[in-house]
Amino acid sequence: MIIFNNLRSLTAVLAVLLMLPTDALQASTRKGDKLLKQALAAEAEQDYDRALQLFTEAMATDPKDPAYTLGMRRVRFQGGQKHVEAGMRLRQAGKLEEALVEFQKGFNMDPGSTIALQEIKQTTELLDKQKRGEIAPGQAALSPVEKARQESVELIKSMLPVPELKPVTNVISSLKMNNQPPKVLYETVGKLAGINVLFDPQFQPSGKNANLDINNTTLSEALDYIALLTKTFWKPISANAIFITDDNVTKHRDYDDEVVKVFYLKNPTSVQEFQEIVTAVRSVSDVRRMFTYNAQNAILVRDTVDKVALVEKLLHDMDKPKAEVVVDVIVMESNSDRTRSLASALVSGGQTGGLSLPISFSPRNPVLQGTGTGTGTGTGGTGGTGGTGGTGVDLGTGTGTGTGTGTTSSFISLAQIGKVNWNDFSTTLPGALLQAVMTDTSTRVMQSPEVRASDGQKVSLKIGDRVPYASGSFQPGIGTVGVSPLVSTQFQFADTGVDMEITPHVHGTDELTMHISINISNVSRTVQIGGVDQPVISQRKNEADIRVRSGEVSLLGGLMQSQDSNTLNGIPGITNIPILGKFFLSSSSKDKSKGELLIALIPHIVRTPDINNIDLKGIAAGTDQTVKLNYAPKEPPPAAPPQSGAPAAPAATAPAVVPAAPAPSNPPAPTAPESGPPGISFAPATLQAPVSGPVVVALQGNNVTDLTSVQVKIKWDPKILRLMSVTSASLLSRDGNAAAPTLDIRNDSGEATIEVSRTGGSAGVSGSGPLLQFTFLATAKGSSAVTVTEIKPKNSKQEPISVTAPVANVTVQ
């Protein structure tokens, strides 16, 4: 009754609470949740200022709600960071005042933002500099750190490489000098090319005067020829100047330029490969200062120009992507197991392997052991005898009962031994068994995985299950009853299925060698060891090294096995009786199993190293003591074609680098002289040319007879013209027996001496035609006369031929 009254009171209280207005109970919760949803929506739109305001109002409704607190803290950080980023963009645009406002908003939103406080300080300092006039309005205002970084980048950009020689002309068509000192040789070549030549103050030529005879040679080759003849070396010190000094170890150490360069390799996939490349390049190039940065596969080198260039070439040749191979693996397995069992026999006692007739002794009057049960009745006295082993007692007039149990045994009393006969023995007769069972099992397994591997890298493929097996156990110190033996057993796992490892090595573009290891395993059965079932794992493993072509099918691990077993059970002797033994006392079982395994591998080379002609090309690297590289002349960039519809632009003036002896497509034709006395003239006699353009004039022979040689001295204004080349013309070389002209050109003084003659034993020529062709370079505006100051033509008898010295007038516009 008391419990009932308590329940009734509780029900009344709940009814009263349910009748109260729900809004009064949940007003604060509903309002906070509504503000939370609005705040999350504002946060999703990245309106962090409004989101912070809404989270703050939600916290006012329930300060203990963790959702409100976490949201407010999250929005404070995100909003403060957004204002800081906006302030940085405004400051980079030169709007310092707007940037300061953004930084202040960020600090007000997130007072814990240290970066906002730092940016406020830096922006305030920049505003002060702007007020003092150190920063122009609208100019990008940089913090001290940003300014220092920008200055560092500008400094790095302004660093120049090793000077590259850029002569006026890079080809010397013909130059012959006899018995001249090294300084004269260098200066002459330098004047022809339009470069300055500087000598070491301690320069003392160790050799004798040398002869120089070059034709159609680049400037670098001509300088190298002179350096070899005079045991000197040269180096460019600017675009139009070279420096000459003695060729010895000391001078090389003092004057050889060194460069610093960083190389980034992109193909090494391990630190070992990267270090092997560096070691090989260091050994070949003999670079002393070469350091590595493994994190970025970077190599830092400092040495002479040629050594660093050699390192660059070697790294270009060795930094190649590895070849890659895709291997199709096809695993085919077929297993079959057929079993036949026949049995026809007399069986007894649960025995099926033969005939068993058990005979047992069962006496008719055995000696009973234990207690028996029985009932007896009587009047007065003893109630009667119950069963054997129990008695009943009469407790007065009436009936008495007694209980007892007993077991039957094969024991008999000794007094009964003489009465034993066949009735005291028993046996069981055998039954008959007829059984015929046949099972046929067939299994086919096919797997076709595909793997991809780089050259020299091992790739593994595992397809299958992991099977647990017991690896050990321990005996607890205190034995407990009911504890499972698994508690003290340790297990490990064995991989079953297809386990394959392939390491390819590509040879060229169409062949490869593969080291292959394939292990195919499965759980065939289980055995019980120590009360624990242990798996028996069957495996077939093959390991080989094979060389195949790309796309070639290779069969690996082909395995066939066949097993036949025959079992007979029966009574000895009767089993061997024909027909009778089979029907009565014999059984037979036949088991036939067959398994086949075939593995096919089909490799495909999908990538090869990008080795081209540049990588296979050998380069000249100097001598054993000095690394010296030679470079081919750079080809001028092709002229841009005129735009369609636009008039063709006028011919541009020659660039700064003008090839020597630029024979024009239409050279000036010699004027046909009238019949008369022999003479020498210029054709044409008057020329006009633009600045930096070529000036070609021919020295022509008129009505000459038996002419074999000509020696000419000419003079011109060196401020306006520069003689670039002199070539032999057609008059003396009609039959190809004219020798190359001998030149002595002095452009600094505007003089040259040229001698051209027929080869020894050749007869002289007669007639009219050009003797020599002069190619000048117009270097400045003005007029200059090309005057023959001395001319000595001779006939085959070495007699002089009387001629008049001509003059040609050149105007440079």
Side-chain angles (χ1 to χ4, degrees), residues 455-751:
D455 186 10
Q457 301 294 322
K458 181 174 67 175
V459 59
S460 300
L461 177 65
K462 297 181 184 293
I463 302 176
D465 302 323
R466 303 196 72 193
V467 180
Y469 64 93
S471 60
S473 62
F474 64 93
Q475 182 66 33
I478 301 176
T480 57
V481 179
V483 177
S484 171
L486 298 178
V487 175
S488 58
T489 304
Q490 300 174 355
F491 288 89
Q492 292 185 2
F493 291 86
D495 293 327
T496 61
V498 178
D499 186 359
M500 178 178 61
E501 292 183 354
I502 298 178
T503 305
H505 181 66
V506 179
H507 309 287
T509 59
D510 57 352
E511 287 192 357
L512 69 152
T513 297
M514 294 187 296
H515 176 78
I516 305 169
S517 176
I518 297 182
N519 185 6
I520 301 178
S521 58
N522 64 294
V523 178
S524 59
R525 64 182 187 278
T526 59
V527 296
Q528 193 174 75
I529 301 176
V532 179
D533 289 338
Q534 297 281 64
V536 177
I537 299 176
S538 301
Q539 66 176 1
R540 277 159 286 185
K541 187 174 183 180
N542 193 311
E543 186 170 356
D545 291 280
I546 59 175
R547 178 162 181 164
V548 293
R549 298 180 66 87
S550 178
E552 181 180 350
V553 180
S554 176
L555 299 180
L556 182 67
L559 179 62
M560 298 180 61
Q561 60 179 3
S562 180
Q563 181 178 354
D564 295 337
S565 59
N566 190 6
T567 305
L568 295 176
N569 294 321
I571 302 175
I574 298 179
T575 303
N576 298 328
I577 298 176
I579 301 176
L580 180 63
K582 293 183 179 180
F583 282 99
F584 289 95
L585 298 176
S586 66
S587 64
S588 65
S589 176
K590 291 186 178 182
D591 189 359
K592 189 173 185 179
S593 61
K594 183 178 181 182
E596 297 181 8
L597 176 64
L598 182 65
I599 303 172
L601 300 177
I602 309 174
H604 305 278
I605 300 176
V606 297
R607 174 181 291 176
T608 58
D610 186 16
I611 299 176
N612 49 39
N613 294 333
I614 298 178
D615 304 321
L616 301 176
K617 176 184 177 182
I619 60 172
T623 63
D624 181 69
Q625 300 296 326
T626 304
V627 175
K628 180 68 172 65
L629 303 182
N630 299 316
Y631 301 92
K634 296 182 179 179
E635 297 182 358
Q643 298 181 357
S644 59
T653 58
V657 178
V658 181
S665 57
N666 296 316
T671 58
E674 299 179 356
S675 59
I680 301 293
S681 63
F682 279 115
T686 303
L687 296 93
Q688 291 184 353
V691 178
S692 300
V695 178
V696 180
V697 61
L699 184 65
Q700 181 173 301
N702 301 321
N703 300 322
V704 296
T705 303
D706 194 21
L707 180 64
T708 57
S709 66
V710 177
Q711 182 178 0
V712 180
K713 290 184 180 182
I714 62 175
K715 187 173 180 62
W716 66 92
D717 188 352
K719 297 179 181 180
I720 299 176
L721 299 177
R722 176 181 292 271
L723 182 59
M724 307 305 297
S725 65
V726 181
T727 58
S728 178
S730 60
L731 182 58
L732 292 176
S733 59
R734 288 177 177 176
D735 53 1
N737 292 325
T742 301
L743 307 177
D744 183 8
I745 301 174
R746 296 178 294 277
N747 274 307
D748 53 346
S749 60
E751 296 177 346

Side-chain angles (χ1 to χ4, degrees), residues 338-534:
R338 180 175 296 179
T339 304
R340 188 193 66 181
S341 177
L342 298 176
S344 176
L346 296 174
V347 296
S348 65
Q351 300 293 327
T352 60
L355 183 62
S356 175
L357 296 176
I359 299 175
S360 60
F361 178 62
S362 55
R364 290 169 295 172
N365 298 311
V367 177
L368 301 178
Q369 296 179 344
T371 60
T373 61
T375 60
T377 59
T379 58
T382 302
T385 302
T388 303
T391 59
V393 180
D394 188 7
L395 299 179
T397 303
T399 62
T401 62
T403 61
T405 60
T407 58
T408 304
S409 68
S410 59
F411 297 100
I412 61 174
S413 174
L414 294 177
Q416 301 294 330
I417 292 178
K419 299 179 181 180
V420 175
N421 55 29
W422 288 106
N423 293 328
D424 295 317
F425 294 91
S426 63
T427 186
T428 58
L429 296 178
L433 172 66
L434 178 61
Q435 182 180 9
V437 179
M438 180 175 180
T439 61
D440 190 353
T441 303
S442 179
T443 304
R444 287 178 174 84
V445 179
M446 180 174 180
Q447 296 177 344
S448 181
E450 183 180 87
V451 295
R452 181 167 181 161
S454 298
D455 186 10
Q457 301 294 322
K458 181 174 67 175
V459 59
S460 300
L461 177 65
K462 297 181 184 293
I463 302 176
D465 302 323
R466 303 196 72 193
V467 180
Y469 64 93
S471 60
S473 62
F474 64 93
Q475 182 66 33
I478 301 176
T480 57
V481 179
V483 177
S484 171
L486 298 178
V487 175
S488 58
T489 304
Q490 300 174 355
F491 288 89
Q492 292 185 2
F493 291 86
D495 293 327
T496 61
V498 178
D499 186 359
M500 178 178 61
E501 292 183 354
I502 298 178
T503 305
H505 181 66
V506 179
H507 309 287
T509 59
D510 57 352
E511 287 192 357
L512 69 152
T513 297
M514 294 187 296
H515 176 78
I516 305 169
S517 176
I518 297 182
N519 185 6
I520 301 178
S521 58
N522 64 294
V523 178
S524 59
R525 64 182 187 278
T526 59
V527 296
Q528 193 174 75
I529 301 176
V532 179
D533 289 338
Q534 297 281 64

